[in-house]
Amino acid sequence: MWKPEHRRAAERRGLRYPSDLTDAEWALVEPMIPPAKRGGRRREVNIREVLNAIFYVLSTGCQWQALPKDLPPKSTAHSYFMLWDWDGTLERAHHALYVATREREGREASPTAAIIDSQSAKAAPKGGSTLDPQGFDAAKKVTGRKRHILVDTLGLLLNVVVHSAAMQDRDGALLVLNRRTRRFFPFIKFIFADAGYRGQKTAAAIAKTGTWKLTIVQRNELHRFAVLPKRWIVERTLAWISHSRRLARDFERYARSAAAFIRLAMIRIMLRRLTNPTLCS
C-alpha cells in the first residue's frame, strides 16, 4: 500500500528537474555505461547529463528537439539513446539492476514464476515511410501498437516486445517467451496468463521448452470485480510504466524504441528502489 511515508520518500526536491539522477542513482548506473572508444577525439560529452536528458524525455513526454537548453541537444541525447539500445547497454543495465533489486528484496536472482500480459497503446500521428507496422486491436478498439511484457511476482520486468496491435495475444506471447527469456531466467517453471493466451499454438510453443507450464487465470464467473490471483501483478506493472508520459501513447517511429523506453522506465523504478529503502517496503 502506498503510504504517506512512501510519498515523502519519493519526493525529488533539490534536483534541477524531478527526472534528474541523484548522486546515489548515478553511482549505481555509471559503471554500466560503456567507456569512450580508444583513439580519436577525446569524449567531451557529460554522460550523466545525457542520461538526464533521456529520462527527461521519458518522464515529460516532450519531443527530442524540445529539450531544455541546459540539457544536451537532441542530436546528442537521441544518438546515445539509439546507440545504447542497439549495442545492448540498456538491456545489460536493466538485467544488472534487476538482479540487485531481487536480492535487495531477499529473493533469488532468477524467478520461478512469471506473468504475461499486453497493453494496447493508441498511436500518435507520425510522418515518414520507414515505420514499423501498426494495427487495429478489435477488442480494445485501438489503432496503434501492443506492448507485450513478462514480469516476475514482484512486478519487475523480465522481457518486453512491442508489435502491431492487430496481433493476437497468443501469437505475441511467442515473441516474448523466446530464447532470451530462457537464457536469462532458466529457473522459470510457471507462466500465468489470462484467457486470451489459451490455444494449442501457445501451449505447444511453451511445451517445447520442457520446463514452462502455462496456467490460465479465469475471470469471475459472476462478472463482478475481483482481484485475480497473479494477474493483478502484471496490471500493476503496466500502471507503473504508464506514469512515464512518453509511454502514455505510442509516439515512437520504431517498435524497438518503444521497447527501449519501457526498459528505461523500469530502470528508473529500480534505481529509486535501490537507493531509497523506504520505497521497497
Side-chain angles (χ1 to χ4, degrees):
M1 178 183 292
W2 193 254
K3 300 178 181 178
E5 56 265 30
H6 296 144
R7 293 187 182 277
R8 290 192 295 269
E11 288 182 353
R12 311 284 288 180
R13 293 182 181 178
L15 298 173
R16 176 186 47 182
Y17 301 111
S19 56
D20 282 356
L21 292 167
T22 64
D23 291 341
E25 292 168 352
W26 172 242
L28 277 178
V29 76
E30 182 181 12
M32 304 174 188
I33 304 299
K37 295 181 179 180
R38 298 182 61 183
R41 186 175 179 179
R42 183 179 179 181
R43 176 188 281 176
E44 298 177 355
V45 175
N46 186 330
I47 295 298
R48 180 173 179 174
E49 287 295 278
V50 171
L51 269 175
N52 284 337
I54 294 173
F55 281 131
Y56 185 91
V57 172
L58 171 67
S59 178
T60 65
C62 76
Q63 297 173 322
W64 287 99
Q65 56 264 35
L67 281 168
K69 298 300 182 181
D70 54 352
L71 288 172
K74 176 226 173 178
S75 57
T76 301
H78 186 263
S79 295
Y80 272 99
F81 169 75
M82 297 296 290
L83 173 65
W84 289 338
D85 178 32
W86 282 97
D87 70 4
T89 297
L90 293 182
E91 188 172 350
R92 289 191 296 271
H94 177 273
H95 186 70
L97 293 171
Y98 171 81
V99 172
T101 306
R102 290 272 304 182
E103 292 176 347
R104 179 70 171 269
E105 295 284 349
R107 304 294 186 92
E108 295 292 336
S110 182
T112 58
I115 311 99
I116 190 172
D117 203 358
S118 67
Q119 177 190 58
S120 294
K122 184 180 292 186
K126 309 180 187 73
S129 58
T130 58
L131 301 175
D132 288 338
Q134 298 176 351
F136 180 71
D137 184 346
K140 302 292 178 63
K141 304 296 188 290
V142 169
T143 298
R145 294 196 182 105
K146 190 174 288 187
R147 303 158 179 170
H148 234 115
I149 66 172
L150 184 73
V151 304
D152 64 7
T153 53
L154 294 177
L156 301 178
L157 185 71
L158 301 178
N159 198 9
V160 56
V161 175
V162 178
H163 54 73
S164 168
M167 184 179 295
Q168 296 291 331
D169 283 355
R170 57 179 176 269
D171 297 324
L174 306 184
L175 303 177
V176 181
L177 304 174
N178 53 22
R179 293 181 179 179
R180 177 198 174 276
T181 304
R182 291 196 295 269
R183 183 174 71 254
F184 280 86
F185 309 103
F187 299 109
I188 291 179
K189 296 180 181 179
F190 305 101
I191 305 289
F192 296 93
D194 59 33
Y197 295 89
R198 183 188 292 120
Q200 295 182 352
K201 181 185 293 187
T202 308
I206 293 177
K208 290 180 180 179
T209 66
T211 57
W212 293 343
K213 178 182 178 182
L214 180 65
T215 301
I216 303 297
V217 181
Q218 298 285 358
R219 283 183 178 273
N220 190 324
E221 294 182 358
L222 299 178
H223 299 284
R224 295 176 181 173
F225 174 79
V227 177
L228 300 176
K230 303 300 181 184
R231 280 175 54 181
W232 69 271
I233 298 174
V234 68
E235 296 290 350
R236 182 184 60 179
T237 303
L238 291 170
W240 284 347
I241 66 175
S242 296
H243 289 168
S244 300
R245 293 193 176 185
R246 186 74 181 193
L247 298 173
R249 296 182 69 179
D250 179 32
F251 291 106
E252 309 310 316
R253 293 170 59 85
Y254 303 103
R256 180 168 185 141
S257 297
F261 270 119
I262 293 174
R263 290 193 187 280
L264 280 166
M266 291 304 302
I267 286 174
R268 187 173 65 167
I269 289 172
M270 292 187 292
L271 282 174
R272 294 184 180 183
R273 284 193 179 191
L274 289 169
T275 56
N276 197 331
T278 304
L279 297 179
C280 297
S281 58

